[in-house]
Amino acid sequence: MLEAEGVARRAAIADYDVVGSPPESGLEALVQLAATVCGVSTAAINVIDDRWQHPIAVVGFEPVVCAREDSMCAAVLSDGVQVAVSDARRDERFAANPFVTGEIARMRFYASSPLVTPAGVTIGTLCVFDESPGDLTPERSRSLDQLAGQVVDVLELRRVTRQLAHSEEQLARFAGRVSHDLRNPLTALIGNVELAADSPGMRHAPEARLLLEHAQAAAERMAAMLKDLGRYPQAGGTDAPSQQP
């Protein structure tokens, strides 16, 4: 069960592609808002994989990747609910944590809301903290949960946008390949139809000549569509094929 959860978490984090990337402006705004709403000066959005805690947006301190075993957020990640601690020194989950003891920092007040994907995978937390003891009022508690949900919304938007861009690139490559592969044989077909239509034998076969003229017109329409299709990659996939009568 734990291994399955780890696999799902790694896959979700990879899909969002935020670890090691510059912070999203939307995430920076949300983490700043979380700190302001909760009345503290420091907050972070942490993504936690099997080994590391990755801060992907922070306010009030310099972001540093830390080992999972040193992470306060990792200690409550599996709970899947908001955690609020007035003084971390008095909580057995955090009392010996290096962020509390002074080895890394001297955190006292700590609160975090889980980041849960639409598929139900918890990938990290939105957390607020302070070096002085504090409390989270019911209103601030609800706001922190709501902001955590908005963090996931921003990550989902990033994921979907990347997928659409990738699909657009694939479509553009396909359009260019199809246009290139079909243009030469179609040109040869048009030339052969023209020769057949102009051949002496067609003078006494008006019905056959008419069929060849229709075939030539259809081939020329297809050639025009392929020409437009060939421009699709250069136009960024925005040109629609010409509609010929």
Side-chain angles (χ1 to χ4, degrees):
M1 182 65 177
L2 291 177
E3 178 59 28
E5 291 177 357
V7 170
R9 183 179 298 114
R10 288 194 299 272
I13 292 172
D15 280 345
Y16 289 135
D17 191 32
V18 288
V19 174
S21 300
E24 290 272 354
S25 59
L27 297 179
E28 290 182 313
L30 287 172
V31 76
Q32 176 67 69
L33 184 57
T36 302
V37 165
C38 294
V40 298
S41 60
T42 47
I45 299 171
N46 292 319
V47 169
I48 303 169
D49 59 26
D50 296 345
R51 298 179 57 195
W52 307 102
Q53 172 178 279
H54 305 271
I56 61 174
V58 304
V59 62
F61 68 102
E62 287 297 320
V64 177
V65 176
C66 74
R68 182 186 172 104
E69 56 264 28
D70 292 335
S71 165
M72 295 177 71
C73 293
V76 294
L77 192 66
S78 61
D79 294 349
V81 295
Q82 185 185 99
V83 172
V85 178
S86 297
D87 190 337
R89 293 173 298 182
R90 301 179 181 178
D91 190 295
E92 63 181 8
R93 295 169 295 183
F94 306 121
N97 188 281
F99 281 94
V100 177
T101 62
E103 183 179 346
I104 297 177
R106 298 183 182 276
M107 294 297 106
R108 300 296 179 257
F109 168 68
Y110 168 82
S112 68
S113 289
L115 305 177
V116 184
T117 73
V121 180
T122 304
I123 61 168
T125 68
L126 169 61
C127 66
V128 294
F129 40 91
D130 198 84
E131 292 186 349
S132 300
D135 291 301
L136 203 61
T137 65
E139 292 79 10
R140 289 176 173 178
S141 173
R142 287 192 294 270
S143 295
L144 189 61
D145 276 343
Q146 291 169 352
L147 289 171
Q150 291 179 14
V151 167
V152 175
D153 289 342
V154 171
L155 293 176
E156 278 292 301
L157 179 60
R158 174 189 174 91
R159 179 183 65 82
V160 171
T161 300
R162 289 176 58 250
Q163 288 181 341
L164 289 175
H166 182 63
S167 297
E168 190 72 27
E169 291 172 1
Q170 288 182 318
L171 183 58
R173 287 196 296 269
F174 175 75
R177 186 171 65 251
V178 168
S179 175
H180 177 269
D181 291 348
L182 293 182
R183 188 179 298 119
N184 288 341
L186 184 61
T187 300
L189 174 63
I190 292 174
N192 290 331
V193 169
E194 289 177 345
L195 289 175
D198 293 337
S199 65
M202 288 296 106
R203 297 174 185 174
H204 305 292
E207 293 182 358
R209 182 180 177 84
L210 183 61
L211 289 175
L212 287 173
E213 289 175 351
H214 285 320
Q216 181 177 352
E220 289 174 348
R221 286 197 298 272
M222 187 175 182
M225 293 176 66
L226 287 177
K227 184 177 180 181
D228 284 344
L229 192 62
R231 288 198 295 265
Y232 186 94
Q234 288 76 28
T238 57
D239 285 350
S242 297
Q243 299 296 316
Q244 299 291 336

